[in-house]
Amino acid sequence: MRDARGDVKRPIGLRLWLSGGWLTLLVLSAVFAPLIAPKDPLMQDLFLGRMPPFWMEGSEPGYFLGTDSLGRDVLSRMLYGARLALIVALVAGTITCVIGATLGLIAGYYRGWPDRIISRFVDIWMAFPPVLFAILLIAVLGPGLMSIIIAIVVIDWTRFARVVRAEAMSQGAMDYVASAQVAGRTRFGTMLTEILPNVLPTIVALLTLEMGIAVIVEAILSFVNLSISTDSPTWGGMISEGRTSVHQAWWVLVFPLITLFLTVLSFSQLGEGLKDRFDPVLR
Amino acid sequence: MMYEIRDLRLSFPDMTQKPLLGPAPRIEVLKGLSFDLPKGAVLGIVGGSGSGKSTLGRAMLRLLEPSAGSITFDGTDITHMQEAQLRGMRQRFQMIFQDPMSSLNPRRKVGGIIAGPLKLHGLDGLQARVDEALDMVGLPRSFAQRYPHELSGGQRQRVGIARAIALRPAFILADEIVSGLDVSSQAQVLNLLGELVRELGLTLAFVSHDLSVIRRLCDRVLVLHQGVIVEEGETAALFEAPQEAYTRALLEAIPLPDPDQPWE
Ligand SMILES: Nc1ncnc2c1ncn2[C@@H]1O[C@H](COP(=O)(O)OP(=O)(O)OP(=O)(O)O)[C@@H](O)[C@H]1O
Ligand SMILES: [Mg+2]
């Protein structure tokens, strides 16, 4: 009665390596930005404006990725920008996830009146146009890190709530839930020990996706000047500044744009990669 | 008596007929059932699809609450007992489910699946009990480290049986437990169940479509039709001389193999 099914080990997927690698690099840059950034990200030098990156003619030694129109080092600004992007991604992503997933889990598993209340609330909430909502909120709260995080949470918790509710509902119909009742487990215990582990892969995928979205939202808000004050470097702020001089100095726009793109992509791939690697259930 | 069931009625709300405001009308699925299940008996419950077999089973385990009548389990009236109170008794009546893929939590290892209920009831020596349960259903102990999807259908159903018997219950409900298996694993699982029932002195309610299986395994049969007991009695007598037209039709509809021939 021995077969090899229990022995199959899956290789760590390429996408987990790539996305995890990029995000690790980003975390390290963010944490050690003051040590590794070659220049002060805020230091202006009008004589060194719009210097190209190192491989191009006319580049200035020490400014690897060139300078912007005020002569600030693009690489250093990107490293410091990673701090803000990651704080927003982690904090906003986690709070959104905890609030949305908890409500979704309760609604989907308990059904009945908790579900009616939560679902009605989600429906009403979603009737507001999200971007307008965010801009309004920040206008009221005033720009700043906290406002961005609150705006993201306020807009996106419904996504978690809806998806997790649906998933909890379909898991709740499985016989292993009835079997937990037969065994004498409480409703609440069943939710935590039987349903939650089965909804967790969905939650993790949503969470990493949400972190990517948070990075984008922060960039968009910087773009419309609603983010953190303009003197702390953000990727979104760099992109919006770079846009105005894209014909004379493309690097000011392109490097942060690529970084942003890779980061958002890595977050979404990380979720999928983690699922492939750590979910015991082969789908 | 393991079970004394009197005038058992159970209804579900009919959502298709629900008016815009106010409660949905109810459909009665069990329409006044009365029977006794003696200790140590193996009762077969047969009937067409939708006749209420699973509903009856789930009411006996109090996964559903009857709307009228009474269910007495081992001298205790459990008809309207609160879940909190039932929880303490649940060790004594267990269930084996139809689809082991759905009834085994896919993200728990077999060892955890069997040990979970034991922990809930505060039993000690978990490891030894899990090993013993695996031995009894004929699975290697190393299977404790496997996930359900790493097992075959027959092996999964053995895990379902192991989970139920590990609690040393007095009564087990088996609801169509072999209908998802191929013929040879069906025979193995049924033989195993038969042995365990004898060895552990279990009382068993066995829900099935398959009359040939009922005939081999059960000493009493209850024929259900549209929520009513059509006929109930000793297996041999019922198969020899069915009293009711419905039972006769049921027996004629299914080709019976020779009961004296061994399974394989
Ligand atoms: N939760 C429910 N809500 C409403 N109606 C239900 C519910 N569960 C069962 N029913 C109805 O009760 C009747 C009996 O169902 P039950 O599952 O007991 O049948 P069964 O005899 O087990 O059939 P099968 O052999 O197909 O498993 C069916 O008509 C079914 O539609
Ligand atoms: Mg059924």
Side-chain angles (χ1 to χ4, degrees):
Chain A
M1 196 153 333
R2 170 151 187 85
D3 58 60
R5 258 181 283 195
D7 307 334
V8 179
K9 283 274 174 289
R10 276 163 290 161
I12 296 187
L14 186 64
R15 62 173 160 192
L16 189 58
W17 273 115
L18 288 178
S19 58
W22 174 258
L23 292 172
T24 310
L25 195 72
L26 216 61
V27 170
L28 291 177
S29 326
V31 172
F32 297 111
L35 296 177
I36 53 176
K39 305 282 174 198
D40 178 346
L42 300 178
M43 190 185 67
Q44 304 184 1
D45 188 338
L46 293 178
F47 294 108
L48 290 175
R50 292 180 187 160
M51 290 292 164
F54 71 92
W55 67 86
M56 284 171 64
E57 198 135 323
S59 64
E60 184 73 19
Y63 294 88
F64 286 109
L65 299 181
T67 61
D68 64 10
S69 50
L70 297 175
R72 296 174 297 192
D73 183 31
V74 169
L75 176 60
S76 302
R77 287 177 72 73
M78 272 166 49
L79 291 175
Y80 275 90
R83 296 190 140 185
L84 220 109
L86 286 180
I87 290 176
V88 171
L90 293 179
V91 177
T94 308
I95 299 178
T96 312
C97 173
V98 170
I99 295 176
T102 306
L103 291 175
L105 193 61
I106 291 172
Y109 175 58
Y110 280 91
R111 318 280 286 267
W113 62 263
D115 182 29
R116 279 199 290 280
I117 293 173
I118 293 171
S119 294
R120 204 56 44 82
F121 196 54
V122 168
D123 288 343
I124 294 170
W125 204 271
M126 290 202 323
F128 293 104
V131 176
L132 212 66
F133 201 17
I135 292 176
L136 207 75
L137 206 84
I138 292 173
V140 173
L141 296 172
L145 186 60
M146 276 309 288
S147 318
I148 295 181
I149 290 173
I150 292 175
I152 292 171
V153 173
V154 155
I155 295 165
D156 268 353
W157 69 271
T158 53
R159 185 204 326 273
F160 280 84
R162 274 183 311 142
V163 177
V164 172
R165 171 180 175 269
E167 182 67 22
M169 219 175 239
S170 75
Q171 292 296 332
M174 303 285 275
D175 276 344
Y176 68 80
V177 176
S179 151
Q181 191 189 352
V182 169
R185 210 180 273 287
T186 61
R187 293 273 282 160
F188 189 69
T190 304
M191 183 174 82
L192 291 188
T193 60
E194 308 285 331
I195 305 269
L196 183 58
N198 283 288
V199 184
L200 207 55
T202 306
I203 294 179
V204 169
L206 279 176
L207 173 62
T208 53
L209 196 67
E210 184 62 39
M211 289 180 171
I213 290 172
V215 172
I216 293 182
V217 169
E218 190 276 319
I220 291 174
L221 291 174
S222 301
F223 204 81
V224 295
N225 265 327
L226 277 173
S227 186
I228 294 95
S229 67
T230 42
D231 48 75
S232 67
T234 65
W235 295 343
M238 293 177 78
I239 291 169
S240 87
E241 285 160 20
R243 186 186 46 142
T244 54
S245 58
V246 65
H247 295 295
Q248 302 88 344
W250 55 264
W251 50 89
V252 183
L253 173 74
V254 168
F255 290 126
L257 203 60
I258 292 174
T259 315
L260 183 75
F261 171 75
L262 286 178
T263 306
V264 173
L265 187 68
S266 295
F267 271 125
S268 70
Q269 293 304 303
L270 181 72
E272 293 296 315
L274 285 175
K275 198 160 111 183
D276 284 353
R277 179 70 187 96
F278 294 108
D279 193 354
V281 181
L282 290 164
R283 288 181 191 250
Chain B
M1 285 290 157
M2 196 85 270
Y3 272 103
E4 289 158 76
I5 291 177
R6 294 289 170 271
D7 193 32
L8 177 67
R9 289 169 191 276
L10 199 147
S11 59
F12 291 110
D14 183 359
M15 286 305 168
T16 59
Q17 305 288 322
K18 186 185 179 325
L20 203 56
L21 296 171
R26 301 183 74 86
I27 323 176
E28 195 154 72
V29 172
L30 301 180
K31 300 167 184 158
L33 312 186
S34 302
F35 63 93
D36 288 338
L37 178 57
K39 280 187 182 159
V42 177
L43 174 73
I45 302 177
V46 289
S49 185
S51 55
K53 305 184 293 295
S54 298
T55 307
L56 170 60
R58 285 177 188 246
M60 287 166 79
L61 288 196
R62 272 308 313 281
L63 299 178
L64 295 170
E65 186 173 351
S67 31
S70 72
I71 304 176
T72 308
F73 172 77
D74 202 5
T76 314
D77 185 347
I78 59 168
T79 321
H80 301 290
M81 207 182 245
Q82 296 294 311
E83 185 62 37
Q85 247 178 309
L86 278 168
R87 227 170 271 138
M89 299 182 61
R90 286 205 177 278
Q91 182 186 353
R92 292 159 64 199
F93 41 89
Q94 284 297 302
M95 172 164 182
I96 308 167
F97 291 82
Q98 173 170 5
D99 174 11
M101 202 60 225
S102 159
S103 69
L104 305 179
N105 188 335
R107 287 184 177 78
R108 254 179 215 268
K109 290 182 179 165
V110 167
I113 289 172
I114 299 173
L118 300 175
K119 268 188 235 165
L120 283 174
H121 292 281
L123 299 177
D124 51 6
L126 288 183
Q127 187 60 50
R129 284 175 193 269
V130 170
D131 285 347
E132 190 194 9
L134 285 171
D135 292 348
M136 289 177 85
V137 298
L139 290 176
R141 292 180 175 184
S142 62
F143 272 37
Q145 297 308 317
R146 292 209 181 178
Y147 287 99
H149 72 265
E150 295 167 343
L151 307 177
S152 73
Q155 291 168 343
R156 270 179 222 142
Q157 199 53 290
R158 284 165 194 261
V159 174
I161 296 174
R163 169 173 61 190
I165 59 166
L167 282 167
R168 291 287 181 274
F171 170 78
I172 289 187
L173 166 70
D175 190 351
E176 311 251 17
I177 61 166
V178 293
S179 61
L181 304 179
D182 62 77
V183 180
S184 80
S185 353
Q186 276 189 4
Q188 287 175 3
V189 167
L190 288 169
N191 281 335
L192 172 72
L193 188 66
E195 278 167 36
L196 287 172
V197 165
R198 247 174 289 126
E199 233 170 86
L200 301 173
L202 290 168
T203 308
L204 182 75
F206 186 87
V207 175
S208 180
H209 282 112
D210 191 341
L211 285 169
S212 60
V213 169
I214 297 261
R215 188 171 192 179
R216 282 169 196 278
L217 195 68
C218 306
D219 32 55
R220 298 188 69 79
V221 187
L222 187 155
V223 183
L224 216 55
H225 180 53
Q226 294 182 350
V228 179
I229 295 177
V230 179
E231 192 164 352
E232 201 237 329
E234 305 234 333
T235 309
L238 192 131
F239 273 77
E240 287 307 316
Q243 299 298 306
E244 298 293 325
Y246 181 75
T247 316
R248 274 197 293 276
L250 210 58
L251 289 177
E252 277 158 19
I254 297 157
L256 286 177
D258 186 350
D260 298 325
Q261 212 161 332
W263 263 335
E264 206 49 61

